[in-house]
Amino acid sequence: MLARVFITSLASLAIVPAAAAGVQWGRCADDFGAVLPVDCGRVSVPLDYTAPKDNEPLSLELLRSPALNKPIKGSILLNFGGPGLPCRDSLAAAAAVLHMFTGGNYHLVTFDPRGTGSTIPFVCVNTDMEKLAMMLDYALVPRAHEREGLGRFWARGKILTEQCGRRQNQTGELIGTAFTARDMASVADALGEDGLIRYWGLSYGTTLGATLVSMFPDKVDKVVLDGVQNPHEYYHAYARDTEEWSDSDEEFSHIFKHCAATPSKCALAREGVTAAELEQSVWDLLERLKYYPVTAGDNIIDRRLVSVFLVASLYNYKSWPTLARVLDMLIHGPVDVAFLIKALALDDAQIPGETLDAEMAAEQALAGIHCGDRAARAGSLDALMPTLRTLANVSRVLDGIPGGINIPCAQWTFQPKERYGGDFQVESRRPVLIVGNTWDGLTPLRSAHNVSSGFKGSVVLEVNGYGHASLGLPSACSLRHARAYWQNGTVPVPGTVCKVDAPPFTDITWDDVLRDIDAEETLTEDGEDDDVNLELRKRREAASLDKAAQLLNEKARNMFRWRI
């Protein structure tokens, strides 16, 4: 098989224009519950960019959130992370906060990447029994020291690899990140604007973005990467998580520092109890739950469930008051069963059902895309073990979990038709704006600087707050810098650090920050009302900015449950 598969060089592939310039936009058959108006269109691209004239086309279903005010400056293409997550529903949910950051005079456009949603979905597990078997094994991913359990999970990874080999033999070669980057370029051509790519990527979307910039440095215009992965690890390491998780313990400890400092807002706080003592009480709880799980209704609350809940809190610091209340109930009592079930998302469990199918589809797409992209494959559990032990030592809050995706990837049989093999050292048409939070337990600030070091002229904007990517951090400073970049191409002075205007365990929201900006800046430089702020104020009841940011974090948390 490997003899007939080749990894193409970038020079050998031309950019293939989409079938027709100018997308025909119309009403969406499914608007994904969008809170702002959306429209839909289609673009035809090559299914296989290595042989664009010899194969059938691939239809990409686009979703667009039209610009809120004029003059319209073009379109921004977006990817919200994963890999393995569709994107159209994310744009439908988050358009309000995204328009706020751009200034409102760009169309926002996305599509489900290859392998996800409506775009050649990569699904290998078909029957209810297969789904149940996979779900049960993935629900109990063993720790790095649990050698017997790792052996069983290695076998589960082999089964998934073989199922995908039998059922997705052709699709598996066509869904990698390099082809999705080429799809972005094709869509930019089809939009009938200036042919340049304006792109905004979050989480894995930053790896896609870094690949896009590196493949097409002369074709990209403005690019924002927020919540940055290390793309070198993504493509070339046995596990991409070594750097990703490196700041997770520090962010976790800060939860208890803010809790102790704001006792009236934090249910776990106790008079005279230090932050370190509060944190230790949580470690003690986890140790107790290991041997003595508790019940809530018909649900079991054990160490693993609480561990996943703890890590999920690293995505969005606005979840910390709920986290504190859950921990207080489990440590001190009494337990409000209804609250606990809702907070831990136990009321969403469906076996089988729509929620389970969606999450399992995301897991399979994650394997298809990321395992194909990963050039380094251990091939045996013994060869992978040193990496799993390293991961176990990177982060205590990750609970020694080796990363469920790493074991299937070590055995993956597909090679993509194209994999980016460069060094991410380029100079693009415009400087790239790279955004990272000071404390991001899933994509640390050092990864933002890592990527910036290879992109000449790029600047890292540090947002002095907590969580995964900056959209959930109300900050007038970060908003002004983002708008300046999208409006004028202006990047911040290197070393700029933005204050967050909503400290942890407070009730300050993006709506509050936007209102304060309106009060301070009644007129813009040209003497006109700030139309995007005005438009968002008109729609505020339907388009809560904080809710939009929260929905993005919920999708990321759902993916995390499978990644570990």
Side-chain angles (χ1 to χ4, degrees), residues 264-318:
S264 63
K265 298 286 187 177
C266 180
L268 186 61
R270 294 292 186 277
E271 185 176 353
V273 178
T274 67
E277 290 169 335
L278 291 176
E279 183 175 351
Q280 184 57 49
S281 71
V282 176
W283 300 126
D284 293 342
L285 169 67
L286 291 176
E287 188 66 18
R288 185 168 71 252
L289 291 174
K290 184 193 299 185
Y291 303 105
Y292 303 103
V294 298
T295 60
D298 297 329
N299 303 282
I300 296 174
I301 299 175
D302 59 7
R303 178 189 178 103
R304 177 184 170 83
L305 179 63
V306 175
S307 292
V308 171
F309 186 60
L310 295 178
V311 179
S313 71
L314 303 181
Y315 279 90
N316 183 357
Y317 78 118
K318 292 289 188 179

Side-chain angles (χ1 to χ4, degrees), residues 67 89 126 207 235 271 309 346 441 539:
D89 57 341
N126 295 335
T207 293
Y235 283 109
E271 185 176 353
F309 186 60
L346 298 173
R539 303 171 186 261

Side-chain angles (χ1 to χ4, degrees), residues 423-435:
D423 58 5
F424 298 99
Q425 301 281 330
V426 296
E427 181 177 2
S428 53
R429 288 174 59 98
R430 287 183 184 268
V432 176
L433 176 59
I434 300 174
V435 185

Side-chain angles (χ1 to χ4, degrees), residues 443-505:
T443 49
L445 186 61
R446 71 189 70 181
S447 295
H449 287 286
N450 187 318
V451 172
S452 180
S453 68
F455 289 169
K456 187 174 181 180
S458 67
V459 172
V460 174
L461 175 64
E462 179 179 346
V463 182
N464 190 29
Y466 303 93
H468 183 41
S470 68
L471 295 184
L473 294 171
S475 167
C477 170
S478 66
L479 177 60
R480 289 189 178 102
H481 282 297
R483 282 189 182 178
Y485 181 74
W486 287 118
Q487 293 297 309
N488 309 311
T490 305
V491 294
V493 175
T496 297
V497 179
C498 276
K499 171 191 172 185
V500 174
D501 299 310
F505 293 101

Side-chain angles (χ1 to χ4, degrees), residues 226-244:
D226 187 358
V228 182
Q229 289 181 336
N230 181 334
H232 304 280
E233 281 195 349
Y234 175 86
Y235 283 109
H236 301 295
Y238 283 168
R240 80 184 198 212
D241 316 275
T242 305
E243 184 168 289
E244 279 192 15

